């Protein structure tokens, strides 16, 4: 195994245990980058036919999530992305989202740009977005689309880069589709994830690494590959999604909650009681939990131990190397 960023062939094995699938995750100490060889031959077919059956919000659910369920469950978790990208809203600019899923982000920004376009390999999700918001969505990889000379001002890909078989080629293709003053917005899981690095939960190691994530980026490695592909990193935000109580649950149970709904919200307990005294106490406890959770997020961000990295980068040269 050779590092896709620097070519180093003296890789270490990071883990041989995956949540789903088999294989070893190799680690390049020069780049602080982990990589897994893909266990599928055709990415478009895998993400259209298999991915949604294996990876879903409710781990106890045996069925495949419908586009409607994906949209309903994930549209409420877009605020952090909107807060960052909101500074770039411009109705004279064209926006492309790669991996637009069921449209939970594109539907929220469709009126903030001159045009919005999506790429989504799940044909069911692509059809759902087109039918509900009349947003054009391509169910092909970016390199396979007949774009002619078309370019975009902004290109986003959230929780996508870690799935790409050849991230360097992908970023080069993105570079070609970006106008000279354009920017990319990238969200990726962080290799410095707090349940791995801070809490050191044994079962989380196997949960974190799985067959669909082929790259495991840190701040250093994502900066290196972006620079190599002709981008200038402008800002990297350290963002936490799952809350303090979710991490405490992991600590005491050495395993995940049944679904992500509670963990992705500001923590709040349902103290349902007719006694006004109990109700007031419950409200005070929930206010305390919310304050603690925000302070916890601030600590994780300060020490760069968050679940996700959000990168804003610009096109730094005409052609990628």
């Amino acid at each position: 195994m050779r590092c896709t960023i620097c070519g180093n062939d003296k890789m270490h094995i990071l883990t041989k245990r995956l949540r789903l699938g088999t294989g070893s995750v190799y680690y390049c100490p020069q780049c602080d980058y982990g990589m897994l060889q893909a266990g599928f031959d055709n990415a478009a077919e895998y993400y259209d036919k298999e991915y949604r059956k294996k990876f879903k919000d409710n781990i106890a659910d045996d069925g495949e999530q419908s586009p409607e369920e994906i949209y309903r469950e994930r549209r409420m978790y877009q605020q952090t992305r909107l807060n960052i990208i909101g500074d770039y809203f411009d109705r004279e600019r064209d926006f492309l989202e790669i991996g637009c899923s069921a449209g939970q982000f594109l539907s929220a920004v469709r009126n903030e740009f001159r045009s919005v376009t999506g790429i989504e390999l799940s044909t069911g999700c692509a059809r759902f977005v087109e039918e509900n918001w009349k947003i054009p969505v391509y169910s092909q990889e970016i390199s396979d689309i007949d774009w002619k000379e078309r370019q975009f001002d902004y290109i986003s890909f959230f929780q996508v880069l870690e799935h790409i078989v050849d991230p360097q080629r992908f970023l080069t293709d993105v570079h070609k589709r970006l106008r000279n003053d354009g920017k990319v917005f990238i969200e990726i899981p962080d290799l410095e994830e707090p349940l791995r690095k801070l809490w050191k939960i044994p079962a989380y190691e196997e949960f974190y690494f799985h067959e669909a994530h082929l790259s495991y980026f840190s701040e250093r490695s994502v900066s290196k590959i972006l620079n190599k592909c002709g981008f200038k990193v402008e800002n990297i935000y350290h963002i936490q999604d799952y809350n303090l109580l979710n991490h405490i649950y992991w600590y005491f149970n050495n395993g995940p909650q049944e679904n992500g709904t509670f963990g992705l919200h500001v923590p709040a307990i349902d103290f349902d009681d007719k006694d006004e005294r109990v109700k007031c106490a419950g409200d005070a406890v929930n206010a305390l939990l919310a304050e603690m959770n925000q302070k916890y997020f601030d600590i994780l961000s300060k020490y760069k131990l968050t679940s996700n990295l959000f990168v804003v980068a610009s096109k730094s040269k005409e052609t990628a190397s």
Side-chain angles (χ1 to χ4, degrees):
M1 181 72 76
R2 186 181 295 272
C3 177
T4 191
I5 300 176
C6 71
N8 173 32
D9 61 358
K10 295 180 174 60
M11 305 276 278
H12 304 163
I13 293 180
L14 197 56
T15 183
K16 292 183 177 181
R17 301 179 65 186
L18 307 179
R19 185 188 349 161
L20 289 171
T22 58
S24 298
V25 177
Y26 289 82
Y27 175 75
C28 175
Q30 295 180 20
C31 298
D32 194 24
Y33 171 67
M35 57 186 297
L36 171 70
Q37 188 171 5
F40 48 83
D41 296 322
N42 187 306
E45 183 175 331
Y46 173 78
Y47 285 103
D48 188 28
K49 305 296 184 185
E50 296 183 44
Y51 177 73
R52 298 292 179 190
K53 296 177 182 178
K54 294 183 176 182
F55 298 94
K56 58 201 77 175
D57 294 318
N58 188 336
I59 60 176
D61 186 357
D62 293 331
E64 180 178 357
Q65 276 190 306
S66 68
E68 293 85 350
E69 291 171 326
I70 295 170
Y71 175 77
R72 184 174 61 252
E73 292 176 2
R74 300 184 189 177
R75 64 184 175 85
M76 64 190 72
Y77 307 130
Q78 306 303 310
Q79 194 56 53
T80 299
R81 298 167 179 172
L82 291 169
N83 289 345
I84 297 173
I85 297 180
D87 291 338
Y88 302 93
F89 287 171
D90 188 335
R91 295 192 179 183
E92 294 184 357
R93 301 274 185 166
D94 300 309
F95 190 98
L96 169 68
E97 183 183 6
I98 302 173
C100 67
S101 185
Q104 51 269 22
F105 182 79
L106 270 190
S107 63
V109 300
R110 66 189 187 280
N111 296 320
E112 306 296 345
F113 299 98
R114 176 169 55 194
S115 72
V116 295
T117 305
I119 294 176
E120 174 52 51
L121 296 182
S122 167
T123 54
C125 283
R127 186 165 53 251
F128 178 79
V129 176
E130 289 186 321
E131 290 175 352
N132 282 275
W133 298 287
K134 312 305 178 188
I135 297 171
V137 181
Y138 297 84
S139 291
Q140 300 168 268
E141 296 188 65
I142 188 171
S143 58
D144 295 332
I145 300 171
D146 185 12
W147 291 109
K148 305 298 183 188
E149 300 300 317
R150 187 177 184 188
Q151 291 183 310
F152 299 87
D153 299 289
Y154 302 129
I155 300 178
S156 72
F157 34 106
F158 307 135
Q159 305 292 325
V160 168
L161 189 60
E162 66 274 15
H163 293 264
I164 303 298
V165 174
D166 187 343
Q168 187 170 322
R169 179 189 170 191
F170 171 81
L171 288 170
T172 301
D173 289 333
V174 169
H175 190 277
K176 292 175 183 176
R177 293 298 150 203
L178 197 65
R179 294 194 175 111
N180 286 339
D181 61 345
K183 298 185 188 300
V184 291
F185 306 106
I186 307 164
E187 185 185 282
I188 47 175
D190 190 355
L191 189 57
E192 301 284 274
E193 220 279 355
L195 286 173
R196 292 190 63 240
K197 302 292 287 188
L198 178 64
W199 296 84
K200 294 181 170 59
I201 309 297
Y204 191 74
E205 280 290 300
E206 185 174 342
F207 187 86
Y208 177 79
F209 298 104
H210 60 73
E211 68 173 15
H213 284 185
L214 309 180
S215 288
Y216 296 87
F217 290 101
S218 64
E219 181 175 356
R220 177 153 59 101
S221 56
V222 74
S223 297
K224 287 187 72 169
I225 196 170
L226 283 168
N227 291 337
K228 186 176 183 180
C229 294
F231 296 94
K232 179 182 178 181
V233 175
E234 296 187 353
N235 211 334
I236 296 182
Y237 301 87
H238 293 263
I239 295 170
Q240 181 59 36
D241 48 18
Y242 281 89
N243 64 38
L244 173 61
L245 293 191
N246 173 264
H247 288 183
I248 292 173
Y249 184 96
W250 266 99
Y251 182 78
F252 284 108
N253 293 279
N254 198 31
Q257 295 172 287
E258 185 175 285
N259 61 65
T261 302
F262 182 88
L264 288 169
H265 282 81
V266 176
I269 308 300
D270 183 12
F271 295 105
D272 186 20
D273 199 286
K274 294 180 180 179
D275 188 322
E276 185 65 21
R277 182 171 53 95
V278 173
K279 180 181 182 302
C280 290
D283 290 344
V285 168
N286 281 331
L288 175 63
L289 289 174
E291 182 181 356
M292 289 174 58
N293 191 66
Q294 186 55 57
K295 288 183 177 179
Y296 178 60
F297 279 16
D298 292 343
I299 291 169
L300 295 181
S301 180
K302 177 181 178 180
Y303 292 100
K304 299 184 177 183
L305 295 168
T306 53
S307 52
N308 295 309
L309 301 172
F310 194 107
V311 185
V312 179
S314 57
K315 188 171 183 177
S316 62
K317 48 193 170 186
E318 196 60 38
T319 57
S321 60

